[in-house]
Amino acid sequence: MADQPKSPSGDPTPAPGAPQIQIDVDETTAQGAYSNLVLINHNENEFVLDFAYIQPAAPRARVRARIISSPRHTKRLLRALEHNVRRYEERFGRIEEMEPMPLPPLPSGGLIS
């Protein structure tokens, strides 16, 4: 993730003894997908994060990506996001939280918009 220390050349410096991982991203995946809504559900064994896009004043959201993750990895993701938001705010200023937009009734489960 982006929170690894950098060497003088700007390359991430792995922790001592940590395996180096190379990540390949195909062109389509590298383009990314915009999301302004996340639906979160879980059971004992996994978390399901549905990243969706909802247009203003539209009653329907379209899921752009679904990520299924173990509870342990989801908690590591949460910690990494918290760390990176802190770093972002230190550099660029506080992220203002807006009032959530009114949403139509959604299926049961968690929701973060």
Side-chain angles (χ1 to χ4, degrees):
M1 295 203 176
D3 41 301
Q4 291 183 347
K6 306 262 190 226
S7 70
S9 67
D11 296 327
T13 305
Q20 276 194 290
I21 299 173
Q22 293 185 347
I23 298 174
D24 293 324
V25 180
D26 63 68
E27 243 181 86
T28 303
T29 303
Q31 294 297 312
Y34 180 75
S35 170
N36 59 4
L37 176 72
V38 180
L39 302 165
I40 303 171
N41 286 288
H42 65 277
N43 62 29
E44 182 181 351
N45 300 310
E46 62 196 16
F47 278 77
V48 178
L49 292 83
D50 284 329
F51 291 84
Y53 175 68
I54 186 167
Q55 294 183 7
R60 190 176 185 100
R62 179 173 299 269
V63 172
R64 301 269 175 106
R66 172 172 280 180
I67 304 299
I68 303 169
S69 180
S70 71
R72 184 172 288 156
H73 181 74
T74 302
K75 194 163 192 174
R76 287 194 309 259
L77 173 62
L78 172 64
R79 300 270 188 263
L81 285 169
E82 289 171 336
H83 176 77
N84 278 275
V85 167
R86 273 194 306 275
R87 287 179 52 206
Y88 177 94
E89 290 182 328
E90 287 168 4
R91 184 171 179 190
F92 300 109
R94 186 170 183 273
I95 299 169
E96 295 297 324
E97 295 185 57
M98 297 173 43
E99 290 292 319
M101 65 180 175
L103 296 172
L106 295 168
S108 63
L111 166 68
I112 298 177
S113 62

